Amino acid sequence: QVQFVESGGTLVQTGGSLRLSCAASGIRFSANAIGWYRQAPGRQREFVATIASTGSGNYADSVKGRFTISRDNAKNTVYLQMNSLKPEDTAIYYCNTVASASLNRNWGQGTQVTVSS
């Protein structure tokens, strides 16, 4: 039973920082590439960042240089450190394996990030 539980989202001012967490279960965590995705109101879910089993990160151009993805395999947890937040970062943030995301499966509830101007 695959499950992802996102947490850490809140209201933050422009320029602020936030750290999101994603606790995963039901998968061999260390063997999977994990991604963060986000969905703003009225828009499609989009890729934010992924981290491979090797620890290599990949980022959307819109967040490159501001966000950092990391993982702690011992805790089955992926993090997204978000700095220099902008109003356009406002969205519900989800985590998932890259494989499941590609199949539009196993989405959790997400965590709301709201960046005020």
Side-chain angles (χ1 to χ4, degrees), residues 4 10 20 24 30 32 38-39 72 99 104-105 109 116:
F4 301 94
T10 189
L20 306 184
S30 63
N32 278 273
R38 67 187 182 187
Q39 187 169 24
D72 186 338
N104 199 31
R105 296 178 179 176
Q109 294 300 303
S116 65

Side-chain angles (χ1 to χ4, degrees), residues 9-71:
T10 189
L11 173 66
V12 63
Q13 292 184 343
T14 297
S17 296
L18 205 57
R19 191 192 195 197
L20 306 184
S21 297
C22 168
S25 60
I27 62 169
R28 286 186 171 87
F29 184 83
S30 63
N32 278 273
I34 309 293
W36 282 98
Y37 307 81
R38 67 187 182 187
Q39 187 169 24
R43 300 178 183 179
Q44 292 186 329
R45 188 154 31 212
E46 66 177 359
F47 154 77
V48 176
T50 59
I51 185 164
S53 60
T54 60
S56 297
N58 187 34
Y59 301 89
D61 288 342
S62 59
V63 307
K64 196 171 297 180
R66 299 188 297 119
F67 291 9
T68 302
I69 188 170
S70 62
R71 65 193 297 162

